Amino acid sequence: MDAWWQCEIPYPYVDKRITDAADSVRASLPNRLCDPRIAANLFHEVLDEFALCDELGMNVLCIEHHAGINSLIGSNPMITGILARQTRNVRVLSLGTLISLRPDPVRVAEEYATADCLLRGRFEIGFVKSGGTEVASSNMQPVNNEERFWEAIDLIKKTLTSHDGPFSWEGKHYTHRHVNIWPGPYQQPHPRMWAATGDPRSAAEVGRRGMTHVLVLRGPEGTKKAYEAHRTARREAGLPKVTTDNFAYAAMVYVGETEEEGIEGGTKLLWFLNTSLKSAPQYNKFLPGAAPPQAAPGLYRTMPRAEAGLALTDAEKGVAPASQNAQKLMGLTAQEAMQQGILFAGTPDSVHRQIMEFYDKVGGFGHLCLIGRSGYMTHEESKKGIRLFSKEVLPRLREVAPVEVG
Amino acid sequence: MPTETTPDRIAVHGIEVEVLRCGAGAPVLFLHGFQPAAPDARFLELLGRRLQVIAPSHPGFGNTPRPKDFESVYDLLHLYTQLIEALGHPRISLIGASFGGWLAAELALRMPSRIGRLVLVDALGIKVSDRETPDILDIFNVHPDTVRAATWHDPRNAPDYDAMEDAELIALHRSREALSLYGWHPYMHHPRLAYWLPAIKAPTQVLWGASDGIVKPGYGQAMARLILGARYAEIAAAGHHPEIEQPDAFADHVIGFLAR
């Protein structure tokens, strides 16, 4: 098993009275509440933490989110570019530029090819669907977000793998009549591709495309279901079996010297759930496309009906909408988060045991993505957690070899 | 004497368009806004006393299917061009409310010889103010309470989600999806329509809810100034839906203009 460390670079330093009063901490919170001098310190601290990971042999990954206290990484390619130059040893995963929010996938492919060259092939490309508040801040149509997601991936892949002069693309969402990037990617035919998704329909598509499938904070049941949808789709399409290397899980992780220290660190990570998920109803439950129309009775009514109408699980996608997932996550304690498999925290032994228990519950995975710093966790605390994890837990995870799963 | 509203279907280019029909007299097509007309809407019944009203649901709204990739005002304009041809009246008048007003203005430009008269009700479709002043409230990106307050003169006229049946709420959200596809970007208007409005030949009545906060009366006045000879009137104690909040005053204005 491989491990990938990340920090979303949240900005927690907004007065709680303001965040409590605001209907959303994303998309509409004024940026005068973000001091660029503090932002600068955060960027430098976290880049130093990425460099420490490189020194200790732990891979790194960089996300992207827009216009909110949850993350200052609005420009993934910039941070990825810095990591491309500042790391020397480990692999770098961009997870990733939010492609369905970017008008030109060819430009994204150009950025990724550049990163892969700078990294001399240590680069991996991840795709995330986005939605919610980011639709507002990016001005992009929410209903066919997923269509754009897949068409953009197709166009990026074609751009990265075409080497014989310009080609033309006239798709539903993107037209680009003269595609011919310089340079192409360092890795041939292209860097490994990942996708983060949980619903069964897109999980199946990730499976058919043979991408590395990452589930974020979904807990054992949702994760297992998505992995199974991935494998079933491959089986049904007559595609070869894959190994656990095709599966990844992202959780909050903190390792301390003692159980108490580990859980205290883990508790600090929960800021992400308790504070940064708050989003107004127009960005989640009423946003067109965020949930299928069949979910409307549960979303629109202020007083749920006893007979409940059409249950959310009966809805088109077979999953609760993002707003319901967020609601469940917002009030969690560390113990609950650990029980639900979205936080692994404690001593090295304890964290290793929690990870492997989760591994067994979901049928195995080859990559653990660590949400390793959040909220008010300090630079020193973060570095300590990285050191302990890299030295005490990672070597044991490396012993877990990929196995075929069908 | 009350007139009856009856549901019907009209097949256009393979799409079974749901329509409400009401009354007899000069034909008029009612193009709806954010939601289709309700079968029991009083304004339909009032209009039907003097006019032959045909009120379709746009694809994706009500019970009209939305074919795959049918996502643009371009598609809607072709659909209604075909529907007007299929109805076969030598001349037909249009009432366009809100989003439907945008469609009605476009159709009046595309089919000048077929469109008799034009009524634009709290209509969207043009850019009036400077680039940093939005003319049309962003119903997708602002808080639903703000949208409700801007929509209704009397918020008690707003739909009560708790009282609505599952099927109605599902239809409501389905409509919202379709509206989002048609009007997301540029938001609820065509940047070039204002340039073309002076070419509308049909005699035009612009009607506006005096309390409309989705598009304010000043927008309606600007629209009326752009259409040569257009008349402008406000309906008191009405927001974005004068046809729902003040059906009698609304019908009086429309009949006064169309049935004289």
Side-chain angles (χ1 to χ4, degrees):
Chain A
M1 190 188 300
D2 252 333
W4 306 73
W5 188 86
Q6 67 135 323
C7 168
E8 310 209 346
I9 319 189
Y11 187 91
Y13 308 107
V14 179
D15 193 315
K16 190 169 181 306
R17 283 167 300 186
I18 294 173
T19 53
D20 283 349
D23 61 10
S24 178
V25 297
R26 304 176 178 209
S28 51
L29 202 64
N31 76 7
R32 67 179 136 75
L33 298 168
C34 176
D35 183 342
R37 289 164 300 188
I38 297 175
N41 292 342
L42 287 170
F43 278 124
H44 284 292
E45 283 180 9
V46 172
L47 285 166
D48 286 346
E49 289 160 31
F50 279 126
L52 176 64
C53 293
D54 183 55
E55 203 181 292
L56 296 167
M58 175 151 59
N59 294 333
V60 292
L61 79 85
C62 178
I63 59 92
E64 177 175 294
H65 282 302
H66 295 270
I69 64 172
N70 56 309
S71 175
L72 299 181
I73 311 180
S75 173
N76 175 288
M78 285 207 71
I79 304 297
T80 296
I82 294 166
L83 294 175
R85 178 66 182 163
Q86 290 207 318
T87 61
R88 288 284 179 271
N89 309 300
V90 299
R91 297 190 71 77
V92 174
L93 165 63
S94 166
L95 187 68
T97 294
L98 297 176
I99 46 169
S100 61
L101 308 183
R102 286 277 291 266
D104 184 7
V106 173
R107 175 63 187 251
V108 177
E110 215 163 22
E111 290 159 358
Y112 280 162
T114 304
D116 195 35
C117 285
L118 280 166
L119 282 155
R120 294 196 168 90
R122 283 188 284 118
F123 187 49
E124 315 219 354
I125 299 175
F127 299 106
V128 180
K129 273 188 295 189
S130 186
T133 55
E134 291 173 335
V135 167
S137 41
S138 68
N139 206 35
M140 295 300 269
Q141 164 60 248
V143 177
N144 47 29
N145 185 60
E146 192 173 331
E147 268 184 16
R148 286 199 306 278
F149 180 72
W150 294 117
E151 188 183 331
I153 290 173
D154 290 340
L155 176 49
I156 288 168
K157 191 168 172 180
K158 169 96 176 167
T159 303
L160 293 175
T161 53
S162 296
H163 309 295
D164 300 319
F167 73 87
S168 173
W169 188 276
E170 290 175 337
K172 176 176 172 184
H173 297 288
Y174 306 105
T175 60
H176 201 123
R177 306 201 304 280
H178 201 90
V179 185
N180 183 32
I181 62 166
W182 281 60
Y186 195 89
Q187 297 171 87
Q188 296 299 321
H190 59 76
R192 175 160 65 175
M193 290 182 176
W194 300 46
T197 187
D199 69 276
R201 189 181 58 200
S202 46
E205 185 62 21
V206 172
R208 284 188 291 270
R209 288 167 181 253
M211 301 165 97
T212 299
H213 189 177
V214 56
L215 273 290
V216 182
L217 301 177
R218 278 284 171 152
E221 281 167 32
T223 301
K224 187 173 184 220
K225 210 179 276 180
Y227 290 172
E228 277 171 1
H230 175 129
R231 293 194 288 257
T232 304
R234 286 189 69 82
R235 218 167 31 242
E236 287 172 359
L239 294 162
K241 285 182 180 179
V242 291
T243 71
T244 45
D245 198 39
N246 275 43
F247 299 101
Y249 185 63
M252 294 179 282
V253 182
Y254 193 79
V255 181
E257 283 174 40
T258 63
E259 196 69 5
E260 293 68 35
E261 188 185 38
I263 291 172
E264 199 188 320
T267 305
K268 290 188 177 182
L269 299 177
L270 294 179
W271 175 92
F272 173 77
L273 305 181
N274 296 331
T275 310
S276 85
L277 289 178
K278 189 179 184 187
S279 121
Q282 69 271 24
Y283 302 134
N284 49 55
K285 61 184 196 168
F286 294 119
L287 185 73
Q294 286 83 351
L299 293 172
Y300 280 62
R301 287 195 189 116
T302 55
M303 295 173 287
R305 287 194 180 174
E307 70 271 31
L310 288 174
L312 280 166
T313 45
D314 291 337
E316 209 169 69
K317 286 181 177 174
V319 290
S323 62
Q324 292 234 325
N325 281 341
Q327 282 298 328
K328 275 193 294 185
L329 295 174
M330 278 170 80
L332 284 191
T333 65
Q335 289 304 332
E336 288 167 338
M338 287 165 73
Q339 277 160 13
Q340 293 180 22
I342 59 181
L343 169 68
F344 305 136
T347 62
D349 283 349
S350 162
V351 167
H352 175 254
R353 180 178 45 73
Q354 292 167 50
I355 294 166
M356 293 315 295
E357 278 174 9
F358 190 87
Y359 178 98
D360 290 334
K361 279 183 192 166
V362 301
F365 55 92
H367 305 272
L368 177 71
C369 303
L370 295 82
I371 300 169
R373 177 179 174 178
S374 194
Y376 291 98
M377 182 176 282
T378 66
H379 186 39
E380 292 310 317
E381 288 165 342
S382 180
K383 285 191 293 187
K384 184 172 185 182
I386 290 168
R387 282 201 184 92
L388 279 168
F389 183 89
S390 302
K391 287 181 177 160
E392 306 291 338
V393 183
L394 185 53
R396 287 186 256 177
L397 296 180
R398 288 240 165 85
E399 290 167 12
V400 182
V403 290
E404 192 178 75
V405 279
Chain B
M1 191 179 73
T3 50
E4 200 173 321
T5 300
T6 53
D8 193 9
R9 295 247 168 205
I10 300 174
V12 183
H13 196 60
I15 304 169
E16 291 283 320
V17 180
E18 174 188 57
V19 298
L20 294 173
R21 290 179 181 274
C22 185
V28 57
L29 189 66
F30 175 83
L31 297 172
H32 68 79
F34 299 161
Q35 292 295 326
D40 61 353
R42 177 166 167 77
F43 81 90
L44 284 181
E45 195 259 311
L46 293 171
L47 293 179
R49 293 179 188 183
R50 295 291 301 277
L51 300 159
Q52 180 194 161
V53 186
I54 304 134
S57 300
H58 310 322
F61 292 76
N63 292 306
T64 303
R66 184 173 61 77
K68 186 178 180 325
D69 299 337
F70 188 113
E71 297 182 355
S72 62
V73 166
Y74 178 87
D75 291 307
L76 287 168
L77 294 177
H78 277 295
L79 177 90
Y80 285 121
T81 304
Q82 298 288 317
L83 185 137
I84 289 166
E85 292 285 341
L87 288 172
H89 304 291
R91 284 174 91 77
I92 188 167
S93 291
L94 301 178
I95 307 171
S98 175
F99 171 71
W102 174 8
L103 304 179
E106 298 269 10
L107 288 165
L109 288 162
R110 284 177 181 222
M111 311 178 79
S113 60
R114 286 303 273 273
I115 306 305
R117 286 175 173 248
L118 178 64
V119 182
L120 299 173
V121 188
D122 298 78
L124 315 179
I126 59 170
K127 179 68 198 157
V128 172
S129 305
D130 65 74
R131 65 185 183 184
E132 293 181 26
T133 309
D135 294 311
I136 305 165
L137 185 77
D138 191 336
I139 63 161
F140 299 115
N141 282 338
V142 302
H143 198 282
D145 293 347
T146 308
V147 176
R148 193 179 304 116
T151 304
W152 303 98
H153 173 78
D154 182 348
R156 286 173 298 185
N157 290 320
D160 177 2
Y161 299 150
D162 288 319
M164 289 167 71
E165 296 304 316
D166 286 359
E168 293 173 304
L169 291 168
I170 290 168
L172 187 77
H173 197 68
R174 187 169 160 267
S175 299
R176 205 170 152 79
E177 278 195 5
L179 184 68
S180 158
L181 287 165
Y182 298 140
W184 186 272
H185 184 75
Y187 181 63
M188 298 292 177
H189 74 284
H190 192 293
R192 296 293 295 155
L193 181 57
Y195 172 80
W196 286 101
L197 283 188
I200 288 179
K201 297 288 187 294
T204 301
Q205 169 76 60
V206 178
L207 286 177
W208 227 263
S211 313
D212 190 354
I214 300 288
V215 262
K216 298 211 163 78
Y219 183 91
Q221 289 154 8
M223 189 175 274
R225 279 196 298 274
L226 284 164
I227 302 170
L228 301 180
R231 297 157 28 145
Y232 174 84
E234 283 176 21
I235 296 177
H240 191 56
H241 299 286
E243 78 281 10
I244 295 172
E245 291 199 285
Q246 299 298 337
D248 294 81
F250 170 79
D252 284 349
H253 276 288
V254 173
I255 290 168
F257 180 67
L258 293 184
R260 54 186 183 156

